[in-house]
Amino acid sequence: MKKHLKNGLLYRQFPKIGLKMKLTTFLLIVSLFQVQANSYSQNTKLSVDLENESIENVFYAIEEISEFRFLYESGQIDLDRKISIKVNKKKISDILPIIFRGADVDYKIRGRQIILTKKGLGISIPKADTPNGFSNKNTAVQQQLSGTVTDTEGIPLPGASILEKGTTNGTQTDFDGNFSLGVSDENTVLEISYIGFIKKEVALDGQTELTVVLQEDTAKLEEVIVIGYGTATKSDLTGSVSRADLATATETSNVSIVQALQGSIAGLNVGAVTNAGQNPSLSVRGQSTLSSDGGDNAPLIVLDGIIYRGSLIDINPDDIASIDILKDVSSAAIYGSQASNGVIVVTSKTGSAISGKPTFSYSTSYTVQTPSNRFEPMNAAEYEQFYPDIFWDRGGRLAPDFLQVGPSYVWQNNFKTNEIAEGFAAGLDTPWNELLTGDGSVQTHNLSVSGKSDAASYFISGGFTDQEAYIKNDTYKRYNFRVNLDAKITDWLNIGTQTFFTVSDYSGQSANYDPTPRDGGAGQHAYYYLQPWAPIRDGEGELIPNPEGSWLNPFLALEVQDSDVRLNLSSVLYANINLPIDGLSYRANYANNYRTRDWANFDSSAASFQGAAFKEHSSTWDWTFDNILTYRKTIAENHNINATLVYGVEKRAFNSTLATARNFAVDILGYNSLEAGDPTLNGAFSGKEEESSLYQMGRLLYNYKNKYFFTGTVRRDGFSGFGINDKTAIFPSAAVGWIITQEPFADSSSWLNYLKLRASYGQSGRRGLGRYDTQSQVTAEPSVVFGDGGPTFLGLETISLANPALGWETTTGTNYAIDFGLFNSRVSGTMEYYSNKTENILFAIALPEITGFEEINSNIAQVSNYGIEATLSSTIVDKGPWRWDASFNFSKVRNKVESILGADNDNDGVEDDLIGNGLFIGEPQNVLYDYEITGMWQLADEANGSIWEGFLPGTYKLNDLNGDGMISSLADRKILGYSDPSYRFGISNTISYKNLSMSVFVNSIQGGKEYYWGDDAPHSTGNWNKADQLSYSNIPKGGWDYWMPENPNARYRRLDNAGQFEAKPYSQRSFVRLQDVSLAYTFSNELTQKFGLSNLKLFLSGKNVATWTDWNGSDPETGVGFRPDNPLLRSYTMGLNVKF
Amino acid sequence: MKNIKLIISAVFLTLFSISCNEEDFLNEEPFDFYSPENSFTTPEQIDLAIVRLYKDSQSVFVGGVVNTFALFYTTDVGYDAIDPTHQLNSWADKITPETPEVKWYWVNLYKMVANANVVLSRIDGVAYASEAERNVKIAETKFFRALAYRTLGIMYGGVPLALEELSAPKRDYVRASQADVFAQVISDLEDGATNLPEADAVEQDGRVSKGAANHLLAEMYIITQEYDKAIAAATAVIDNPNYALMTERFGSRVSEPGDVYWDLFRRNNVNRGTENKEAIWVAQYEHLAPGGGDPDNFARFLAPLYWQLKDDDGVNIFFSHSSQNGGRGIGWWAASDYMLNQVWEGSNNDMRNSDFNIIRDVLVDNPESKFFGQLMVASGSIDNFPDPYKRWWSALFAKSLPIGNFPADVIADPATGETNNGASSTFNDRYMMRLAETYLLRAEAYILKGDQASAATDINAVRSRANADPVLAAEVDIDYLLDERARELFTEEFRLLTLMRMNKIVERVRLHNPMHNGTYESFNINETQNLWPIPNTEIERNTEATLEQNPGY
């Protein structure tokens, strides 16, 4: 019976109970292994040789040699009938007719179960809770009870075992998770268990109907983790790999799947998003390279085994089964040169329906979004109060003390247009911001069907997402389709695919007008800055193009025709072959990802209202071919081997074509008739790029007695984008683990039930450079038209310096970790420490521009990086219907520039800093190197002549570090603080009562004393920086604390002028955010079954509900300072999931 | 079955073990850009690299908006009219190693040097039909390198001399002496004066010729105090039959009221191709054409904000900004009183101060104003309008405004002449060198040599064309010459460079700039400010050697 033990089911007890106890009632068991069982009955061949044995003994003998189990109701089958049987290698379906030849018995093979009934009664599979359900003769039945066992998602758990504590009285749940059991005492305690879930004890306390929700085992030691080019169980891991908890991911308004992970995994940093259809920034374990640019620190994304270069937002969150994050260098090293920022492994769902029948699933949600931090512009009355302050020094106030208003000064003369002047005179109060922004919304619908049979498994889905963001016309629509198939062609060959197709529609020009969309203009937020006195339309009802003299009227933006549709077709085709050597298999992955963007735009107000249009088509085609050999074998019982060899190639190609036209004679066809533009002004542009990579990788996972673990990998990588001298490199890594609690000396009953130590060492790389970055590039662009009406001449110019020596950036790292489980894994956790060193960093070093170049890409410097991460999970309460789970994660990273160019030109014995790039030896990378503000110059200083050159009254006094009586950027700047966070933490709590559960997630990023500083000064915004711009820009309600003659101790300098030194009063971004709150209700099974549903859940959730911070700007996490950028949105979502 | 399995496995394993040719697979092929190796190999390509230098020079001196105007409004002829603390109004406070304009000229001039060095380093490897052809191209390239170093030398003093194409990063630049810089400029220009074609033999209208090289040489020899050489270089231009001062009405708008000085600056009258013999070198502009050049935004920055003026009833004087009034000016900078009034004192019929060329009063055109149809200034309609720094009104300089001749695409209403926001540029080619200046350069050399009589003759050549009274030899000195240059060359000459090369900037700013001479403010300009500072970022990045800062910064 040993072989059943590993299934962990009560099943193993069945033969004893079923036969020895001679059950009098029909006992039905539904096996969790139904699917395998079906093929089991097909494939298993038995030899039976019995002479004149009772039927009962025949059953017993077959059960001994096989996994078949006979089920019958006592009394219906004559067990004492004697037969003789002799078969050799026959299927059970051939054996049964022999056994029951002539007997009054009907039989049915159901997986491994053989169900017997008296002939004529028919074979029916009654529900376990029907009157002829369970009862156990040996138990004095006092109380009949029934119930359901589900997971936290409300999905029934068939085959879960229910045992009356301290007895052998028990049963299992049926298909639908239902059970029925007679117990001896109405106050007895039941033990409910299910593989992969935490065992639960339930005190009956007189209840006769139970709903038992089992929690997944948070330690999840047997969980299969995707580790790249293969899988391993969690207990086998030696590196640092975190699995994301996606349980509540679809309950919040996350258009991108990774958004749901924000703050929840130690070491994974996900940024906030503010635009429709925007990808959040991602990084793993902070910044190891020198550039703080998001793209340079973005982890590698692997989707279904293939490196994915597309947009993450194209992946439907509803299609995702798991996300694993390879954090430490040794785990990531299998991706070699692209791994030093960590790897995020995304796996899509497969058909793994437990019941064998198709599962349809539909989910929908509706979200309302509103800015988390109101930042509204002034209305006309407020603005009129503020406006004259801008001109205090231009006659608005009377010298010398500037406290009296200048009687002859007409501040209205600063209006830029006559329209403004007229609007002011007429008392106009146009609520531009209100008209052009509003609450956003997200609507999602997802429908999928999945299932699995002997021959195939499938997951097919379709989804629709419709987002409208805060700024009018900032919209995003996404249509997702996916087909994941796996077909078992023969017992040694599986062929399958993971294919998806996504249509993303970003069409529409948002009210945040972007006059040069193709140049990546970020929009000007004119809807915010426009003065309330500015009219929208003239007397004839026409839109006024420049009501303020500066920006185009944002209502014109709404008239721009814009079509921006992006398609993403991604298909992984694979074949899995079990090779003739036992344990050896070969897998070929051939993946194509074809992405296109068709962007067309016609702006009738551009080109002095003669119209400008473009049409652009660009496509990216990536293909990958991976060959993977895997060998899994247990040798001599104790040596477990999992070895992988990979050989792969990747090619990526990019193509683009752009046509432009302007000055349209007739513009009614817009961008669809570019030829209607002035032919002499047409433009045509095209581009093509290619890059290729190839790689070989070997990996060995070995463990001895599941106690001592070793992982070793070597990867060799080649990339076309590198200098001709250095196209390939090798990245090795090794790691070990030891589960101490597996040792004989460990006390299994101790409070410490699990303890594992891990250590790893490895090297990984970063490409850091785009293709062609090593080459010197020469551009040719239209430059001169000689003479009047002559032809255009191109001009050639070298725009970058070549560096053929450019190679890989290498990160070498160690990782030490402890995994533990306490009190029967009621508390579990992981603590990690890592230390990385990155060398030969790819970096664009600033050059003296005497060279003609601003910078050159180089391999320079050495940066060290270390951090700690802790994750703690616990089930705090698990009593009756109540349950409270909590988890906490914490991470902290520090980095230090160890070396830069290795030069000591000033001969001071210390390597020189590279100030031009903001790099300082011994300091973290992202420093705020600036002037220190010590006070404010006052009018008196000017009057008595003590004010310094370059300064004005009301500008900041700066610290003269070298004491030479003047301020210079060379000598008087210093490190004021660091812009990276000091530490981050997240706390999540889930409390459930019966079918109702509530989750609360708090996210925080903290700066300590010196870290996480940023610039949130109002004057950092160009439009609020000086008088000219302020004279035509609205400002936030309440204004800010700016210097005026009557406000000499203000926090911020005078409005109109910075003087020659634009110093910034930095502030800290630390915050605590109530990031997610959700409430879910799962309807009881009785109710759902009435409607033919297997599961129905309703949820309500809130995101970015509240934030506590001292940051003066729009949002600390997005880093948006005191300016009208797209706000972080607070959202409330309501939705439902239904399965049938 | 087992056989199939083996065969398939064998096939895959073979595939698996065959590695393609790595070197070929990883070879990187550029498709949509050029490399230096394939870009500078034929005479045609070399010429395109030279075309780029024309664009570079245009960007430095003509485009760049606020930056280029620093060459005018920081001097005696202009000031920033927005307010005293605006932009570069105060030399001592605003011209520092952190000033964006200070960096802008440095960076863009050195980019021009680098682009020229690429051509000069590669041209020897290019097959030309004749050495003469190659020498023309070398000379053309050197002209631009000289132009860059001449400007750098005047602005910053002795700057690092980079003369080769760079193949590896370099961070150990040291300053050459100013004399070495100018010697290099002269050497490059002498090559140009020898090998460049005559003005009537250039490949395209707008290309530099011998005349341009000689004109610049004359200036350089004045700087190096080699006055006879300066006179010779200027004479080579003045006596060249390709050039002549225009004395009769000409060009596209002769039928309209005006004078020859007015004609010189009309759209399509500037290039030599339009019978203009006075042009020596013209920066090219072609409206809307790809590569047509950066617009010259005088119409926005120098023209006053007149269209917002109100009469004493608070009624607008102008119905809008209009083509006939010079477009949509914003009065960012303005001519100083020196330029507007003082230099014209005692001039009677000076054409350059005619009502065609400096428009000091215009008709009120808003029918709702009680002054409608009257002259705005004369009628006193704006007497009560507060205009502390003459941002709203001083005068319209017609030579830098396409008055009544804006392109159709910036006209909002053809019936009234109302313009849109695009009416901000001259939409015109622009003189980089004009023969009138060559006369004044030669006059300068004569003055410095002590030959006032010859100087007066040259100055009078310019004056007589403008119907101005001749100057007496005894009255001629450097200050008179500077006044004459202002009269003749306002908005053309880069006044900052002229005053710096004469070491006159400090004196003249103190005297005539209203933000420094007490008219509006008494800002300081330090004695050391005849040179601009080297940008601190350059000192910072030049990690392997020290770039000494100019004194006083």
Side-chain angles (χ1 to χ4, degrees), chain A residues 675-688:
Chain A
E675 55 273 35
D678 182 340
T680 63
L681 302 176
N682 287 346
F685 309 86
S686 61
K688 175 186 162 106

Side-chain angles (χ1 to χ4, degrees), chain A residues 1042-1057:
Chain A
Y1042 52 85
W1043 184 95
M1044 283 293 282
E1046 66 273 24
N1047 186 22
N1049 300 314
R1051 172 162 163 72
Y1052 299 109
R1053 65 157 169 84
R1054 60 194 269 171
L1055 292 167
D1056 58 327
N1057 204 314

Side-chain angles (χ1 to χ4, degrees), chain A residues 351 358-361 447-451 458-462 482 484 1140:
Chain A
T359 303
F360 290 90
S361 171
L447 182 64
S448 70
V449 58
S450 63
Y458 57 91
F459 173 86
I460 298 165
S461 76
R482 174 177 284 277
N484 286 358
F1140 48 93

Side-chain angles (χ1 to χ4, degrees), chain A residues 394 416 610 716 950 1028, chain B residues 22 25 83 86 93 308 409:
Chain A
R394 299 184 179 192
K416 294 257 291 179
Q610 296 180 78
R716 180 174 176 275
D1028 317 356
Chain B
E22 271 193 16
F25 191 76
D83 82 275
H86 196 246
D93 285 328
Q308 286 188 0
D409 62 292

